[in-house]
Every structure is written in structure tokens, then in C-alpha cells.
Amino acid sequence: MNNSITIIRPDDWHLHLRDGVMMKAITPESTRHFNRAIIMPNLVPPVVTAADALAYRTRILSACPQDSNFTPLMTLYLTDKTDPDDVAAAFANGIINAVKYYPAGATTNSDSGVTDIKNVMPVLEKMAQIGLPLCIHGEVTDPNIDIFDREAVFIETILDPLRRALPELKTTSEHITTKDGVDYVKSQSKNHCATITTHHLMINRNHLLVGGIKPHYYCLPIAKREEHRLAVRAAATSGDVRFFLGTDSAPHTDPNKETGCGCAGCFTATNTMALLAHVFEEDDALNKLEKFTSINGPKHYGLLPNTETITLKKSSAPFLYPKKIETAEGPVTVFNPGHDIYWQVIE
Ligand code: NCD
Ligand code: ZN
């Protein structure tokens, strides 16, 4: 049996670092193992201009530990008013690597998102021309659509028409949670990819709801039925170049999670690599871990894989990761899959 594995240093293709004291406290949890990350722009107010992205990037770098070489890959938050030429200039100047599309109201801090995809077609056309990738939060927001169906309905009503209109646009369906999401990626050309989170490989909606509600398992898109988790997991562990890691690690303080109306987001930065080693070993796919965390993502973004490596080791004693990360805003609970994990990153 394989008790140790060395892989190219991973990147995180979907990460929330927040800002201010929260960012200061949680950034080292990502920089410890990851070399780069696509940084989500859903601050309040959101990161909408190149100047916003540059300033945010500087703040992130100042929150990184001294000895880290972490590179934040910045995104702009697409709004109904985004100017195609601004976006193109930000890309040409190397300030951004992607643009993020949130349907207005779909998730945490998405109020300034797109109200109708027609409003942003000029930006998307420009992005297709210049090869700038679009990251998509693929859920419809129609209150009549059941929360468990929102991803599948988005594919049918928004994503597929968009892909047909602009097949050359590089798109990523972020944090897919359904068999529909997996099948759609497989039906498309290589310029449509999907990120997959660590927690969606480990929990289904029973974990969230049976035996009492678990607020730390609540994130958007919401965890689905077991058959969907299995489909997403098979995609992640397949090695297929179109699927790669985006943790969607999204810190909220415990008081904001454990309340009458709790925030959506799971915080997995601290133990993601250990959890993934567990998952990939369970599926007899440890040899595909590197593709998922370190090779497929850079390919989609037109970047080279990292040159350093990390080593994970399986011990006989469980890995004791911190249960919470203390921040000046309050504690943030680290995602706990509900069972012991024996893998950990050792170097
Ligand atoms: C994210 C957050 O907290 O910013 N929450 C989540 O449930 N995933 C937003 C997002 O990526 O949808
Ligand atoms: Zn997210």
C-alpha cells in the first residue's frame, strides 16, 4: 500500500480570502500548501475595476506570511455595467486572470451580480476574442426553482445557450455538485471545465440535514443526493483534464454560521490536501490526485504547473488539524468530514 505520495505543489482555482482582519487570519491556511489561487471578487463592495483588483492583490500579498511565494490570481466581478474595454485592458496588463459571473442574489455577497445575461454579452464577446476565462456560479435565482434543482436548470437555461452563442469563450462551471454538471462538461469541448470542491466530494444532503442541521456543511451550491456526489467524485478522480480543484474555501465566523439564518460557505483551506488524499485513496486513484490539484487547472488558465512539490504521508494516528481558526472577528470552524483522516502534508 502507498503510505506516501509526492505531487507537484497544488493550486486552488476558487478561493475566498475576504479582506481585513479575516484575510490576515485565514490567508496562511491557503499559502501553506497552495502556490496560487483564483481569488473570488465577492467582497463588500465587490472587486469590479482593474484598480480594485490591483489594490486587493496588494492587500492579499501583505497578508501572506513572509516566507511564502503565494501568487493571487485576480478576478473581476461581472456586473450589468462592466465595460468590455476595461476588462480587456486589465487582462492585457496582467492584472486579472478571469472574470466571475454571479447571477444577482445567487449566493453570499452577490447582490451586484448580473440580472440578465443579455446585459453582459458585449463583455463576454470581448472575453471570447481575447481568451479571458469566465468563472461561472451556475445556479438560477428564480424563487420558484427548488434549491436542489438550481444548478441543473442553470445549465439548461443559461449555460448551454451561452456556450452555443460563444463556443470559443473559455468557461468554468464553478463548484459543480450534480451529475448534470459533470455530464455537461463531458459533452463540451475542452474550453469548458469545472472546478470541484473538497467538501462536495465528501458530503451529500443527508450529512447536512439528517440527525440535526449542520450549519458548517451548508454552502452554495447546496450538497445534493448521494448519486450526484458519486458522479462528481468519479469526475474528480478520473484524471480528465476538464475537472480540477477549486476549494471554494469560504470562511464565516461561527456566530454567522450557527444562527437562525446562517451564512453559506465551508472553510476547507486548512485540511483540504489531507482530505483529498483520503478521498483519492478510497477510490484507488491516488495516482490521479496530482492531475486534479496541480496539472489540469494551470492548463485551462494557460499557465505552467508549479515547479515545487509537496509530500503527503499516511500515519497510523489521525491527523490533528485545528478545529477552528481564531480571527479578530471570531472563530472560523474548519471543515470536519465527521471521521478521522490519516493523511497529512509533511513537507
Ligand atoms: C461563498 C462565500 O461565502 O463567499 N459561499 C458559498 O457557499 N460557497 C460564495 C460562493 O462561492 O457561492
Ligand atoms: Zn465560492
Side-chain angles (χ1 to χ4, degrees):
M1 207 189 58
N2 224 342
N3 282 331
S4 154
I5 178 171
T6 296
I7 59 171
I8 295 170
R9 185 173 286 281
D11 302 305
D12 185 346
W13 300 97
H14 182 129
L15 177 64
H16 298 270
L17 285 181
R18 311 301 193 208
D19 211 343
V21 293
M22 175 61 83
M23 173 169 75
K24 191 82 202 155
I26 56 99
T27 298
E29 300 304 301
S30 286
T31 64
R32 195 173 298 129
H33 301 150
F34 294 96
N35 196 45
R36 296 171 289 198
I38 286 277
I39 309 299
M40 287 297 123
N42 64 332
L43 304 181
V44 187
V47 178
V48 289
T49 66
D52 295 340
L54 256 188
Y56 185 30
R57 186 171 176 277
T58 305
R59 298 200 297 281
I60 293 170
L61 288 173
S62 70
C64 291
Q66 295 266 299
D67 60 350
S68 101
N69 291 320
F70 185 75
T71 304
L73 305 173
M74 306 309 292
T75 61
L76 292 184
Y77 186 116
L78 189 60
T79 75
D80 287 346
K81 299 199 185 94
T82 300
D83 175 359
D85 294 331
D86 271 0
V87 169
F91 184 50
N93 293 330
I95 298 168
I96 59 164
N97 294 73
V99 170
K100 178 66 189 261
Y101 168 21
Y102 289 103
T107 185
T108 308
N109 304 339
S110 63
D111 296 348
S112 321
V114 175
T115 58
D116 186 332
I117 190 148
K118 290 194 196 82
N119 298 337
V120 293
M121 283 312 284
V123 183
L124 301 182
E125 281 157 16
K126 185 69 163 199
M127 290 172 61
Q129 272 168 27
I130 63 177
L132 174 56
L134 180 70
C135 300
I136 302 172
H137 184 111
E139 288 191 288
V140 291
T141 54
D142 180 342
N144 295 316
I145 305 292
D146 189 278
I147 187 170
F148 292 99
D149 298 333
R150 289 180 173 198
E151 184 171 303
V153 174
F154 183 90
I155 293 168
E156 201 185 303
T157 59
I158 311 279
L159 182 59
D160 189 55
L162 171 64
R163 298 259 334 128
R164 285 174 195 273
L166 287 175
E168 65 285 15
L169 178 64
K170 282 182 153 194
T171 45
T172 312
S173 282
E174 300 289 320
H175 40 52
I176 56 167
T177 57
T178 56
K179 181 169 186 305
D180 312 67
V182 170
D183 290 345
Y184 189 72
V185 169
K186 288 188 184 160
S187 75
Q188 295 295 296
S189 72
K190 292 245 169 353
N191 61 8
H192 180 60
C193 297
T195 56
I196 295 175
T197 76
T198 308
H199 50 285
H200 287 121
L201 296 175
M202 303 192 88
I203 58 166
N204 63 31
R205 64 193 203 180
N206 276 15
H207 294 98
L208 170 68
L209 295 169
V210 172
I213 191 161
K214 318 293 185 311
H216 296 289
Y217 288 170
Y218 174 58
C219 90
L220 291 172
I222 198 157
K224 308 291 192 303
R225 285 176 180 277
E226 178 66 355
E227 70 195 70
H228 291 294
R229 185 187 72 94
L230 293 176
V232 171
R233 190 149 153 159
T237 57
S238 68
D240 186 322
V241 69
R242 293 167 291 187
F243 299 101
F244 45 87
L245 175 65
T247 65
D248 194 17
S249 184
H252 294 276
T253 62
D254 286 353
N256 284 328
K257 295 282 295 173
E258 300 165 6
T259 177
C261 184
C263 294
C266 295
F267 182 72
T268 55
T270 305
N271 53 359
T272 272
M273 291 311 298
L275 297 170
L276 289 174
H278 173 96
V279 164
F280 277 66
E281 184 195 29
E282 217 167 53
D283 289 8
D284 211 7
L286 268 179
N287 62 343
K288 302 284 170 47
L289 179 63
E290 185 179 61
K291 286 204 166 73
F292 183 65
T293 62
S294 317
I295 293 178
N296 297 348
K299 200 169 268 176
H300 180 66
Y301 280 97
L303 300 167
L304 290 172
N306 296 315
T307 49
E308 295 173 339
T309 59
I310 63 164
T311 298
L312 291 121
K313 187 168 174 277
K314 188 179 184 185
S315 311
S316 51
F319 168 38
L320 299 177
Y321 54 85
K323 286 196 160 45
K324 293 177 195 293
I325 304 299
E326 295 300 333
T327 84
E329 285 179 16
V332 171
T333 292
V334 174
F335 179 79
N336 173 354
H339 54 77
D340 286 339
I341 296 293
Y342 294 88
W343 286 91
Q344 65 178 299
V345 179
I346 54 162
E347 63 196 42

